[in-house]
Every structure is written in C-alpha cells, then in structure tokens.
Amino acid sequence: MNEGLSPEDSFRLEVLLAQDLKAVRIDESNLVLHAFTDRGEASIPLAPNCKPEKYLRMIRELLSGHALGSPGGYPVYLSRWTRHGQMEGINLGKLLLTGEPEAVVAVVYSPALTDELARYVWWSQPTIENARLMLRRDAVARGGMGRVLADFLVEHLPFLQDDHLGIMDTVAVLLHSGTLTQPQLETIWKRGKRSNTYYVAFLEMKADILPLPRPDHLDLEAARSALSDRISAGQPAALALERALSGQGQTFL
C-alpha cells in the first residue's frame, strides 16, 4: 500500500483491492471511495492525513498502479486518445478501476464498449452525455442497458430546455437505438408543438413513419385516380404528390 496514506485507509484499501472489482468512483466533496464489486457496492470513508487534493491524488495513483501497473496515476497520454476511440489493446474494464472520470469517458467512447461495461460506466458516471454516447453502440442498445439509458434520456429531455443541439442529438440517438416504446415516441413528438427542435430528428430519420399522423388530404383519392398510370409507372413527380397528400406526407409538411 501507499505509505503516504493513513493506516486505516491503507488497510481498508488493501482488503478492497483483493476483491473482484468492477468499477471505482470517488466522491471528492464527501471524501468517500465507492466500489462496485461482485458482491455489490462497498464504500470507504477516507481519512486524509494531508490536504484533500494531495490525498486524493495519492489514492488515484494507488488505484492506477493496481489496475494498470501505472504508479504515476492514469496515463496522461490516454486522455488524447479518449475521444477518438483509440483504445485498442487496453483492457477497458481496468480503466474503470482507476477512479478517474477521464478514464470512464475513455470507455464510453470506445467502439469495444459492451453492455456489461456500460452497466459499470453508468454506475460510475450517470450523465446525459454518457447515456447518449453509449446508446449509439448497438451492443448497448440491444442489451439490458438499452432501456435503462433510453428511459433516463426521455425523462431528462425536458431539462435540456434551450440546448437545441442537445435535444436534436438526444432524440436522434433515441430514434436510432430503437429502444423507445410507442408512448415514448408520441410523448417526444408532442413536445415539438412547444419547440420545433424535437421534430428535426424525426423528419430526418422517420419521415415516412411519423407518430400521430394527420388524416389524408381530401384530394388524395382524386389525385390517385387521375395519376394512377403515372403512379404505377413510378413517375417521381406523381409519387411525390401522392406521398404529400397522404397522412404521413401531410404530417411531414
């Protein structure tokens, strides 16, 4: 153990690190280390013997040395790779044992993210951005975490308020993931009445299967009759007019 740590913390961390750990996070404001183990959650109230900033750095150096064999803490060079998905050859699960928020983000961005790792990431750092990023991965969207992340994003969409880009990104991820229930789809669509931002992803990704479509235009059947030969021949203009007069077309317009 690190000789700079208080005796009680050194002992408790030694016991903790002997277990099968899945993830570690540190509550800096309350000076508590939380761990996700194969037996459930465990917490260690820290007893610093120096300034908290220095003490937490020693804790993270210890964790990183145990998980990665990097006694100096989470390798700085990994931070440059984090948001480019360049984490090949690195055991992603071990990054979650360092207690470093940046290491958690590295796992989130990795193309090798699995549903199981997503569960531990979510325990470590449950944020809207992490939920969006993880739900983009098919392995996560189709796994047990898919619904968990989707429900979280739907619940927190209203809190984005005037973050229009955030709303568009979130709705796009939800639609792409295929995790939404029909009532959730309709709820999000209805919010477009208050803010057109909600419509953008629907119009781009679900143009022909929009929720709550309007009735067909009154002239639809007359247009179909008059243009039946052209529609059958696949003439683009005739097909476009037919689509525009349909319920889905009227909703899209």
Side-chain angles (χ1 to χ4, degrees):
M1 289 290 104
N2 192 317
E3 295 181 358
L5 300 181
S6 61
E8 56 266 49
D9 284 349
S10 184
F11 173 74
R12 287 182 292 189
L13 285 169
E14 184 175 4
V15 173
L16 179 69
L17 294 178
Q19 301 182 46
D20 182 13
L21 299 183
K22 307 299 182 183
V24 173
R25 70 169 185 254
I26 299 175
D27 182 346
E28 296 188 4
S29 59
N30 295 307
L31 293 176
V32 178
L33 184 147
H34 301 277
F36 194 117
T37 77
D38 57 344
R39 299 180 180 180
E41 294 189 30
S43 298
I44 296 179
L46 300 175
N49 53 14
C50 60
K51 289 185 178 181
E53 295 81 5
K54 180 180 179 181
Y55 197 76
L56 291 175
R57 184 168 65 251
M58 290 192 293
I59 292 287
R60 288 192 166 101
E61 288 175 355
L62 170 66
L63 294 173
S64 182
H66 176 79
L68 304 175
S70 175
Y74 177 68
V76 175
Y77 68 87
L78 289 183
S79 299
R80 298 198 297 269
W81 297 355
T82 294
R83 299 174 190 275
H84 299 284
Q86 299 175 349
M87 302 302 295
E88 292 84 353
I90 296 176
N91 186 322
L92 295 177
K94 291 187 178 299
L95 292 179
L96 299 179
L97 305 180
T98 63
E100 290 280 1
E102 185 68 17
V104 176
V105 176
V107 178
V108 169
Y109 272 87
S110 173
L113 180 69
T114 64
D115 185 59
E116 182 180 11
L117 282 173
R119 178 188 174 206
Y120 304 143
V121 166
W122 194 239
W123 175 86
S124 302
Q125 208 175 97
T127 66
I128 289 178
E129 181 65 13
N130 284 347
R132 277 198 297 251
L133 289 167
M134 291 195 292
L135 203 53
R136 287 193 173 105
R137 305 295 181 191
D138 289 340
V140 177
R142 293 194 300 263
M145 285 301 298
R147 287 242 35 92
V148 173
L149 299 175
D151 289 345
F152 174 86
L153 289 175
V154 170
E155 181 181 351
H156 286 77
L157 256 176
F159 296 103
L160 295 177
Q161 296 179 347
D162 296 327
D163 180 7
H164 299 290
L165 184 59
I167 292 172
M168 287 189 285
D169 284 347
T170 301
V171 176
V173 167
L174 287 168
L175 294 179
H176 172 75
S177 70
T179 53
L180 292 174
T181 64
Q182 189 60 32
Q184 286 176 326
L185 278 169
E186 294 177 0
T187 296
I188 295 173
W189 176 258
K190 289 176 182 177
R191 289 178 183 154
K193 292 182 179 180
R194 298 190 297 273
S195 172
N196 289 335
T197 305
Y198 285 92
Y199 287 145
V200 175
F202 280 100
L203 298 182
E204 180 182 5
M205 305 171 66
K206 302 286 184 181
D208 294 318
I209 48 172
L210 297 172
L212 304 173
R214 297 186 179 192
D216 295 339
H217 192 282
L218 295 177
D219 292 335
L220 174 60
E221 292 307 320
R224 278 177 174 164
S225 178
L227 301 172
S228 58
D229 292 343
R230 297 182 183 185
I231 292 173
S232 299
Q235 188 182 81
L239 292 174
L241 180 59
E242 181 189 36
R243 176 179 178 275
L245 294 175
S246 71
Q248 281 291 337
Q250 291 291 292
T251 308
F252 182 89
L253 293 173

